[in-house]
Amino acid sequence: MTTELEAENTTLLQFLYACPAGLIEFSAAGDIGLVNPVAMGLLLPIAGRPFVTNLFEVMDGCAPELMNMIQQFAPSHGTVCDGHRMVTGRGGQSAVLACSVVKLTEDRYIATLSDVTEQVAREKRLKQAEVWFASLLDSIDDVAVLSLDVNGCIDGVTSSVVRQTGFTEADLLGRPFESFARPDRASAMPLPGEAIAVARSDGWHLHEGWHARADGSRYWCQRLVAVRDNSDGTTAGFTLVLRAVTRQGRDAADLRRMLTRDHLTGVSNRAHFFEAAERHFARCLRDGRSLALIVLDVDHFKQVNDEHGHAAGDTVLCEVSRRCEGELRPEDVFARLGGEEFVVLLPGATLRAAAVAAERLRLALAGDVFDIGVIGLRITASFGCSALDAGTTASLAGLLAAADTALYQAKRAGRNRVAVSEADQVAA
């Protein structure tokens, strides 16, 4: 006869397996005790293998901060995080997961996982509209209106534009409106042609970022491009509205840095990298331009943590980031993918140019001792390069996979070296 306890256990198991959200029970060390099919379906693509036993090991490549949040949670029980978002996968296979963790006892935790990729895309679009309308209530200094032709070049200027920017009508007429953007690494502007393409398709495009003034200074600007149609439905041109914003601009810049920068090193985070990579990849396919990637991995990094502590390891990662960013062009994107793995996006670069850049980064790391408090360490890294050259058919995921393959070749060959992908590795 089935006992009451057995019935309760059966009911619990039925609930776990039928629950539409992913459920994971795990220890303070990350060892998984129970996991339902939904959670397993979300974890397996991240792990890249047919089974998972430790949550922290699986998440190390895409959300290394999860272990830190759990270990630093001091109360004996309670909510560690609620809806914490993590970008998993690469390229077209990337997904955004929402994770909530509850501490039950000193050694027992429950986590829920859900796929919120589509929700995030909708939120991003909605936020653009919210920011635009919110700016009506927040310290708007000036509003300027310009007319653009079908190619996005300025063909009409109002006095408000001259007042806002300091440029004369002669300075502006005939120039692409995007030539006045002044991007930085934390607030990169859309690629040339992207705003026009989106406005032509959706009716409008909204962005905010730094714009130039005639005296060489810059100001924070919210920019709306709206399509103008002829009576027959064809595009007659575009209207550009510029809103200079004072306090909102500073707040938005700070928020953008929080959302796009890695919490430890300050370089681009995983989510920002994939957003930029997808834009550049689409442009390369459209315009036939080249695009290159460098993936790098710090050699023997686990040994640094084991012998000198995690604080020393964090210092190494920050110094690696500082040295590498100092060797790159302003348009390059340097990002931390997770753990000790970094990636560089090089718009317009060929495979040969990527290999030259990777060698420059390798020398920057290997050349001088890393000052880690009272000790000095010799730090090296291994590099893998791949490129999408004009006329090549590939995917972003294939480009990353080819760079990863080259990286592993560099490691197998002895580390502290650069390897490049073969042409057939890039195609996908």
Side-chain angles (χ1 to χ4, degrees):
M1 179 178 292
T2 302
T3 66
E4 184 176 340
L5 179 61
E6 289 173 337
E8 288 180 355
N9 287 338
T10 299
T11 301
L12 176 60
L13 288 174
Q14 289 174 343
F15 167 75
L16 286 173
Y17 278 83
C19 182
L23 296 174
I24 308 165
E25 186 268 338
F26 62 99
S27 70
D31 296 322
I32 296 175
L34 292 174
V35 57
N36 72 347
V38 175
M40 187 62 72
L42 295 173
L43 292 176
L44 289 180
I46 305 173
R49 53 181 184 270
F51 59 90
V52 293
T53 58
N54 188 284
L55 182 63
F56 297 154
E57 290 179 0
V58 176
M59 293 299 182
D60 183 62
C62 62
E65 72 278 4
L66 188 63
M67 181 176 68
N68 294 333
M69 288 191 296
I70 290 172
Q71 293 179 344
Q72 294 172 8
F73 186 78
S76 60
H77 62 278
T79 301
V80 178
C81 62
D82 184 12
H84 178 67
R85 291 183 175 180
M86 307 172 296
V87 179
T88 70
R90 294 185 170 185
Q93 299 177 351
S94 62
V96 182
L97 302 183
C99 176
S100 299
V101 178
V102 175
K103 183 177 183 179
L104 302 178
T105 67
E106 287 299 329
D107 193 51
R108 187 162 174 252
Y109 296 78
I110 291 289
T112 65
L113 285 179
S114 55
D115 190 330
V116 294
T117 307
E118 293 185 3
Q119 176 186 337
V120 168
R122 290 195 300 270
E123 288 176 357
K124 182 178 178 182
R125 189 69 170 162
L126 181 60
K127 277 295 181 184
Q128 286 186 315
E130 288 178 351
V131 168
W132 175 253
F133 291 113
S135 69
L136 289 170
L137 307 176
D138 191 11
S139 303
I140 298 172
D141 296 326
D142 201 1
V143 177
V145 181
L146 303 91
S147 173
L148 309 178
D149 63 20
V150 293
N151 298 313
C153 292
I154 300 170
D155 62 5
V157 178
T158 63
S159 59
S160 61
V161 179
V162 177
R163 187 167 61 249
Q164 182 182 120
T165 68
F167 291 105
T168 67
E169 183 176 359
D171 293 330
L172 297 170
L173 287 176
R175 297 187 64 180
F177 75 95
E178 295 148 318
S179 61
F180 301 100
R182 290 294 180 269
D184 57 23
R185 292 187 185 274
S187 59
M189 302 295 281
L191 297 171
E194 181 179 346
I196 293 298
V198 173
R200 197 186 304 274
S201 170
D202 297 350
W204 59 280
H205 179 272
L206 181 64
H207 184 80
E208 58 179 308
W210 294 110
H211 272 242
R213 285 195 173 97
D215 61 6
S217 64
R218 64 180 188 171
Y219 67 104
W220 191 261
C221 179
Q222 295 178 336
R223 185 181 80 189
L224 174 70
V225 178
V227 69
R228 298 196 313 269
D229 289 333
N230 292 310
S231 58
D232 60 359
T234 59
T235 299
F238 302 87
T239 298
L240 173 65
V241 181
L242 303 178
R243 281 179 169 154
V245 183
T246 304
R247 183 177 64 81
Q248 176 78 5
R250 290 196 297 270
D251 292 347
D254 292 340
L255 177 60
R256 187 180 296 276
R257 286 186 177 88
M258 291 174 59
L259 296 176
T260 61
R261 314 311 280 177
D262 176 60
H263 68 287
L264 173 64
T265 63
V267 301
S268 293
N269 62 21
R270 184 186 184 91
H272 185 233
F273 166 76
F274 281 111
E275 182 179 350
E278 287 168 358
R279 289 203 315 269
H280 281 284
F281 186 82
R283 180 189 179 191
C284 289
L285 294 182
R286 184 184 72 235
D287 300 341
R289 298 188 60 189
S290 57
L291 177 70
L293 288 179
I294 302 172
V295 176
L296 61 129
D297 192 271
V298 179
D299 295 329
H300 304 298
F301 183 71
K302 185 177 183 300
Q303 184 177 337
V304 174
N305 281 335
D306 291 345
E307 295 183 1
H308 305 287
H310 287 276
D314 289 349
T315 302
V316 167
L317 295 178
C318 291
E319 181 63 9
V320 166
S321 300
R322 187 190 69 80
R323 294 190 186 188
C324 287
E325 277 209 317
E327 298 292 332
L328 296 171
R329 305 171 299 175
E331 63 266 32
D332 297 333
V333 179
F334 182 77
R336 184 185 178 203
L337 289 181
E340 68 272 27
E341 186 180 14
F342 297 84
V343 64
V344 187
L345 181 73
L346 301 116
T350 62
L351 184 59
R352 180 179 178 84
V356 171
E359 179 63 15
R360 190 167 63 249
L361 298 182
R362 187 190 70 80
L363 293 174
L365 299 182
D368 295 323
V369 171
F370 279 52
D371 184 10
I372 311 297
V374 297
I375 60 173
L377 296 178
R378 286 286 181 185
I379 299 297
T380 63
S382 300
F383 298 79
C385 307
S386 65
L388 174 70
D389 293 322
T392 302
T393 301
S395 65
L396 180 58
L399 200 61
L400 276 160
D404 277 336
T405 299
L407 170 65
Y408 297 140
Q409 291 171 352
K411 283 189 171 294
R412 285 195 298 268
R415 295 184 170 86
N416 187 26
R417 64 193 65 223
V418 176
V420 298
S421 65
E422 301 295 334
D424 59 349
Q425 293 175 339
V426 179

